[in-house]
Every structure is written in C-alpha cells, then in structure tokens.
Amino acid sequence: MFEGKQHRMSNRVLERIISECMRLGITTFSWQGGEPTLIGLDFFEKVVELEIKYGLPGTTVANALQTNGVLIDKNWARFLAEYRFLIGLSLDGPKRLHDYYRKDSGGRGTHERVMRAAEVMREHGVEFNILALLNDLNVKEPDAVYDFMRANDFSYLQFVPCIEPGTNRQPAPFSISPDDYGEFLVRIFDRWVEDFPNVSIRDFDDLLAREMGQEPGTCTVNSRCGSYVVIEHNGDVFACDFFVIAKWRLGTILETPLDKIVTSERAEEFARSKSQLGPACEACRFLSKCWGGCQKHRVVLGGKLTDPSYFCRSYKRLYAHAEPIMPKLAARLEAMGRVFCKPGDGVQTK
C-alpha cells in the first residue's frame, strides 16, 4: 500500500491530526505501528505537547499505545506514567510459547525483555493490559496460557485470534482453526468464571456488558463498524486498521477536514457494510451477540460479507456454553455494586 520500508509520521501530519481532533472534541488516541516505540520517545513527547496546546480548557485526553515492549525502559515508563498512557503489551504466554514466533532480528526470543518491560511499568505505576495473539501453538494450551497470566498477576487480558490467508484460499500455517479457537474460548471462559470478577477478558466482558443492558466496548460484536478511523503516517485516512486498502481510503487529512472525512458517504458505507449478512447469520439465535463478527473474518479467505465469519463455529460454541452462566454473573456483579473499569485519566489540558 505504501512505498518504501520506513514510514515515519512527520510533525506536519501529527500536528494536523491532533489539532483537528481537538477541534472536533475527539480526545482518544490509540498509537500503533508496526512497533510505535521505534519512532522514539521524543515523538510522544511532541504528542503530549500538541494535545496540551490544542486541547480546550479542562479537556482530558486519553492515549493508548500498543507495543511489543522490547524498548520499554525506565525513561519510557516514567513518561507513560506521568501522562497516564494505557499500554497494550503483546505477550503470548509462557516463554516456550511466546518465543516460538516472537523473535528479534537476530533470531533471539523476546520473552525476557517483554517481562522486564512489564516489571518496569509496574514499578512506575503505568497502566497496562496484555494482548495475546493466538497462533497455532498457544491456542491449543489454554490452561498453560491462563496459568502463566495469573501467576504473573496479569488481570487485564485480550486474546486476539490469528487468521491470515495462505495459498489457495487456505489459512496460513500459523493461523488458528475455528474448532481450536472454540475450545480455547470455552476453557478460558470457565477459568474466568472461577476467578470472577477479578480478571477482565475482553470477549467475556463484552458478553457481560450485553447481559447488563450495556453496549459492548469492542467493535467486533457491535451491529455497525465505524467507531474509529485509522490515520497513516502520510495523513491518509482509512475506515479500519484491517482494511488499509485503496477501496477504503477515505481521504487525506492534509487536504480535507477530518469531520468531512468521518461523515462522508464512503465512511458511512463502510459502517453499514457490516449489516450485509447472509441467511445463516440472519437465522442464528446468537445474532444479537456478534452481528456477524469482524468483517475481516468474513472475507479473509476470499469470501463475501454475506458469508458467516471464519470463527462462526467458535463463537457459537462460546455463546451456547456461556448462556446459562451470564445472568448469574451479572446478578453477582450488581449485588456487589461493581462497575466496569475505565482507563486512566490521561493528559490534562489547562
């Protein structure tokens, strides 16, 4: 999609993004890469400077950063803590599972460095959660993954299923199968119930939110897409980070005001496209729990939006398993007077 190997956002693009967002009252930023820490701490110091410069008086700005953690040191941790960044730390389980795929350019495993990053962030009071990418290995060991997370007191977890195309419209070898993912979800759900409400797992939090009459926080299981846009290093705006392709390029922030881009007919078309469901989804009793799932998972192997998700069987198994349990958990939570946790306060403008 983009020429060249290095894509660094210029100060011009950065300032345009933040000034436009502040003007529109958009105060939540999620910084991703590639690996965003490669751009350097000075970039994020500039981010905060611009948020304070352009923010309206009394505005709270929330920043999230997704990282593999390899470069996180005390300097990074002090900064992230001071400005209350919420960190998503990529960690795929115990060392033998994590290091199989998570290697550096020299072929060395990164597990020890990631764990050191977690330790340094804890020492400095940085809020972070764990993002575990489920591949063909760790998806088959749910108890090993969960035991590792709990042994290290990681209580805010997200499990991201890996499915990428290989050859002949078949999954790439490192992808996970719907049946393995279904097994994983059900087993992790049971472990989560045992620890309830002391562990947060995104998929199950979404189910709980819906059980309590609230909107889930994840776009994957909402009825529409379009809750955010992606702005690339050159200012190009796309409808979704899974669809950074020419078809869903909405414009460029360097030429068109952001409010016109996000309210364009093209953006609305993408948001509506999630509702293009086929008969299998429309007849499913779990439709209101997933609304067809992520669009990527419906087209990733060359399918159409009217096809069921690649992970349809996985979610059906989870929903059927969780159905009799969720009302009891919701009642327990209400009796305890507990509410869902929110990210940190973020950057404060004056």
Side-chain angles (χ1 to χ4, degrees):
M1 185 66 196
F2 302 107
E3 295 181 358
K5 293 183 178 180
Q6 294 187 355
H7 304 133
R8 181 184 177 97
M9 183 176 288
S10 68
N11 285 339
R12 179 190 177 208
V13 172
L14 177 63
E15 186 157 8
R16 181 65 61 86
I17 290 171
I18 292 178
S19 62
E20 282 283 276
C21 288
M22 295 293 99
R23 177 179 67 84
L24 297 172
I26 300 170
T27 59
T28 300
F29 299 89
S30 180
W31 305 97
Q32 302 184 28
E35 172 50 47
T37 59
L38 285 172
I39 203 168
L41 184 54
D42 58 332
F43 176 88
F44 292 98
E45 291 172 339
K46 184 68 173 178
V47 165
V48 170
E49 176 188 320
L50 292 171
E51 290 171 347
I52 294 173
K53 176 181 178 180
Y54 288 105
L56 297 175
T59 300
T60 299
V61 183
N63 290 285
L65 188 149
Q66 184 173 328
T67 176
N68 62 26
V70 171
L71 296 181
I72 299 294
D73 57 15
K74 291 181 178 180
N75 290 332
W76 272 99
R78 279 192 289 265
F79 170 83
L80 297 172
E82 180 178 0
Y83 295 106
R84 301 184 67 81
F85 275 56
L86 178 65
I87 306 304
L89 182 65
S90 295
L91 180 60
D92 296 342
K95 180 178 175 63
R96 64 182 176 82
L97 294 176
H98 176 95
D99 280 351
Y100 189 86
Y101 286 117
R102 299 273 188 179
K103 302 180 188 298
D104 63 17
S105 59
R108 297 166 298 182
T110 60
H111 190 268
E112 291 180 5
R113 281 169 280 178
V114 179
M115 293 299 291
R116 176 57 184 161
E119 181 182 348
V120 169
M121 288 194 290
R122 276 184 172 150
E123 289 173 354
H124 288 80
V126 179
E127 294 188 59
F128 67 95
N129 54 36
I130 299 298
L131 308 180
L133 183 66
L134 298 179
N135 54 58
D136 61 314
L137 297 179
N138 61 1
V139 74
K140 296 177 181 177
E141 298 197 43
D143 285 301
V145 172
Y146 190 84
D147 287 340
F148 168 81
M149 299 300 179
R150 297 300 288 135
N152 288 280
D153 200 25
F154 298 138
S155 299
Y156 294 89
L157 311 175
Q158 296 181 30
F159 295 108
V160 182
C162 180
I163 170 62
E164 295 296 337
T167 57
N168 299 320
R169 294 192 174 185
Q170 294 298 308
F174 50 79
S175 298
I176 65 177
S177 74
D179 291 331
D180 283 345
Y181 187 37
E183 290 274 355
F184 182 93
L185 287 173
V186 166
R187 181 56 185 158
I188 293 292
F189 178 84
D190 287 343
R191 300 295 302 274
W192 175 75
V193 170
E194 292 172 0
D195 287 336
F196 186 82
N198 298 316
V199 177
S200 169
I201 297 178
R202 184 177 64 177
D203 292 304
F204 311 147
D205 289 349
D206 285 340
L207 276 178
L208 187 58
R210 187 153 272 148
E211 186 68 35
M212 300 178 73
Q214 303 173 20
E215 280 296 310
T218 309
C219 57
T220 300
V221 293
N222 276 317
S223 58
R224 280 172 57 94
C225 292
S227 59
Y228 68 91
V229 293
V230 172
I231 305 179
E232 286 288 344
H233 66 285
N234 63 351
D236 284 355
V237 183
F238 293 86
C240 173
D241 54 333
F242 287 133
F243 292 92
V244 180
I245 55 178
K247 177 181 178 180
W248 294 116
R249 180 183 179 274
L250 305 179
T252 172
I253 199 170
L254 297 179
E255 297 175 1
T256 307
L258 184 59
D259 52 335
K260 292 187 180 300
I261 293 176
V262 299
T263 58
S264 66
E265 176 54 35
R266 195 70 175 145
E268 175 61 20
E269 180 185 351
F270 181 80
R272 289 196 311 262
S273 62
K274 193 175 192 234
S275 64
Q276 296 179 28
L277 302 173
C281 285
E282 291 177 343
C284 179
R285 70 185 181 96
F286 297 123
L287 175 61
S288 63
K289 287 184 167 54
C290 75
W291 297 106
C294 178
Q295 291 194 51
K296 174 192 173 179
H297 298 154
R298 290 152 65 183
V299 302
V300 65
L301 298 181
K304 302 176 181 178
L305 281 176
T306 51
D307 294 334
S309 167
Y310 174 79
F311 291 118
C312 179
R313 293 201 307 275
S314 318
Y315 292 123
K316 280 183 176 179
R317 182 163 183 200
L318 170 65
Y319 297 152
H321 182 76
E323 194 170 44
I325 302 171
M326 296 310 298
K328 300 173 185 177
L329 298 184
R332 281 178 57 188
L333 202 62
E334 289 174 342
M336 297 168 64
R338 294 282 291 271
V339 296
F340 291 116
C341 296
K342 301 295 182 182
D345 293 335
V347 176
Q348 300 293 315
T349 60
K350 298 180 180 179

